[in-house]
Amino acid sequence: MTYIRTRPPLDTMLAGIAAAAREPIEARPGAVAAAIAAFAADPTLLADVDCPCCPDRYVRHLLGADPEGRYAVVALVWRPGQMSPVHAHRTWCALAVHQGTLTETYYEPGEEHPIPTATTLLRPGESSHGAADPRLIHRIANLSCRTAISIHCYGVGYDRFGSDVNEVHAA
């Protein structure tokens, strides 16, 4: 009898992201979001990963990265009330919720400040994605009363997250 060793869901998700990240650039964000969403709601996804939170801000934890620096995958841990700044992306991005509920608010550019236009609740397994486009402005927030975790993939190496991911419009 032959036994097949199964890979943990995180390894399988990362392999799916690697395949999706080879899609043409216009299809890549949606393909990567689908690859993340396929595993995001699995409660064992981060079973072997230490993802502590911070009382002052959401925290990123590196889960995987392309060796050539084309993308990186992180888990973001959001305590109740924590949120991103209002921002657009300088690179493509994709995300799905692993635990809890997040609120994504969309904005349109305004003369002085972005103007909110719509809000969506994202629950475990639900995803969102976008191209690198300064007009695609949003904010992610944990408006619930329990900690939330989301899985994000950005089209730059992890060492470039500080400079090449977000174009901040308002804190």
Side-chain angles (χ1 to χ4, degrees), residues 79-162:
R79 289 178 52 120
Q82 292 179 338
M83 61 187 68
S84 72
V86 176
H87 65 281
H89 289 278
R90 294 184 175 112
T91 182
W92 61 267
C93 63
L95 71 99
V97 173
H98 170 61
Q99 171 187 308
T101 302
L102 292 173
T103 301
E104 183 172 22
T105 303
Y106 303 95
Y107 297 79
E108 64 182 31
E111 287 194 27
E112 289 187 37
H113 302 287
I115 301 161
T117 58
T119 300
T120 301
L121 289 180
L122 297 170
R123 296 174 184 88
E126 295 179 337
S127 67
S128 181
H129 64 276
D133 186 336
R135 297 164 297 166
L136 296 178
I137 304 168
H138 74 149
R139 167 181 267 169
I140 305 290
N142 181 359
L143 303 179
S144 75
C145 58
R146 58 180 270 223
T147 299
I149 301 175
S150 52
I151 309 299
H152 298 240
C153 183
Y154 300 102
V156 296
Y158 188 66
D159 61 327
R160 295 174 43 206
F161 272 30

